[in-house]
């Protein structure tokens, strides 16, 4: 992934705090990506469902 951001002073510069903050940032980023993928998957599932209904509806052969 991405390297941890450097610490520039302040009270949160100990390695444990820095590691935890990095993990929290990574968790937010991965959750954001997952939410986007879930939206795309829902759209694909809806398209598949609609297409299956259309195929079933139009499944009778034409008598022409």
């Amino acid at each position: 992934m991405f390297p941890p951001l450097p610490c520039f002073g302040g009270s949160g510069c100990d390695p444990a705090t820095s590691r935890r903050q990095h993990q929290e940032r990574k968790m937010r980023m991965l959750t954001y990506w997952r939410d986007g993928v879930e939206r795309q998957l829902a759209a694909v599932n809806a398209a598949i469902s609609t297409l299956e209904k259309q195929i079933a509806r139009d499944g009778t052969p034409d008598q022409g």
Side-chain angles (χ1 to χ4, degrees):
M1 286 285 163
F2 302 105
L5 295 176
C7 184
F8 297 109
S11 62
C13 283
D14 66 287
T17 302
S18 178
R19 177 175 167 80
R20 188 184 76 248
Q21 289 172 346
H22 173 69
Q23 288 175 330
E24 289 170 354
R25 280 192 309 273
K26 188 160 59 168
M27 178 64 82
R28 285 192 302 270
M29 178 187 65
L30 291 172
T31 302
Y32 176 78
W33 287 353
R34 184 192 60 198
D35 291 347
V37 170
E38 286 177 343
R39 281 190 296 273
Q40 291 174 338
L41 181 59
V44 169
N45 285 336
I48 288 171
S49 176
T50 300
L51 188 55
E52 286 173 339
K53 289 175 187 175
Q54 290 173 349
I55 289 171
R57 180 191 65 204
D58 300 339
T60 57
D62 290 336
Q63 300 293 337

